[in-house]
Amino acid sequence: MKVNVHAVNFTVDRKLVDFIQSRMEKLEKYYDKIVSFDVFLKVEKTSDKENKVVEIKVHVPGDDFMVKKQCKTFEEGVELSAESLERLLVKRKEKIRTHI
């Protein structure tokens, strides 16, 4: 499983990359056929405090899932996105299991 972190218009620090990596690895226990993750980190130019956008694209055989969250911090965005992905992956696994 590969995790690609893309920071749009800023440089991301190592701690954040490590946090994202470890959080994405935890998702493997919900669905073990994950090929890769593409994580996009963006800072919106708004006066709003919730200007950090996290987009995570998950590649699984036969499908791709995309989750987008806007929060105050990237860590919070990654956490909320990971929770949404957990639900999606569990749903996908159950759907596949019923077709076997």
Side-chain angles (χ1 to χ4, degrees):
M1 180 193 64
K2 190 169 188 215
V3 179
N4 302 314
V5 179
H6 309 277
V8 181
N9 296 331
F10 73 99
T11 54
V12 64
D13 71 329
R14 188 82 218 142
K15 264 194 331 193
L16 183 58
V17 172
D18 292 341
F19 172 76
I20 293 168
Q21 183 93 31
S22 68
R23 191 61 181 100
M24 295 301 110
E25 285 171 0
K26 288 178 186 172
L27 292 174
E28 262 191 322
K29 70 181 174 190
Y30 297 101
Y31 192 78
D32 57 354
K33 294 176 177 69
I34 296 170
V35 177
S36 67
F37 292 97
D38 286 320
V39 182
F40 297 92
L41 306 173
K42 300 176 188 162
V43 180
E44 301 269 312
K45 299 262 192 275
T46 61
S47 58
D48 195 19
K49 280 189 164 67
E50 292 194 357
N51 66 341
K52 311 284 190 303
V53 178
V54 177
E55 286 182 34
I56 301 178
K57 191 172 191 179
V58 184
H59 304 283
V60 295
D63 218 349
D64 287 346
F65 298 114
M66 180 82 165
V67 175
K68 183 177 182 178
K69 298 288 180 192
Q70 189 163 349
C71 296
K72 290 179 184 170
T73 65
F74 287 121
E75 288 85 355
E76 183 185 3
V78 168
E79 200 60 47
L80 291 172
S81 298
E83 289 169 10
S84 295
L85 285 170
E86 281 173 19
R87 288 189 293 276
L88 282 171
L89 292 171
V90 166
K91 199 183 288 184
R92 163 109 177 143
K93 192 174 189 176
E94 288 170 359
K95 190 176 179 182
I96 288 174
R97 198 177 285 151
T98 58
H99 291 294
I100 295 176

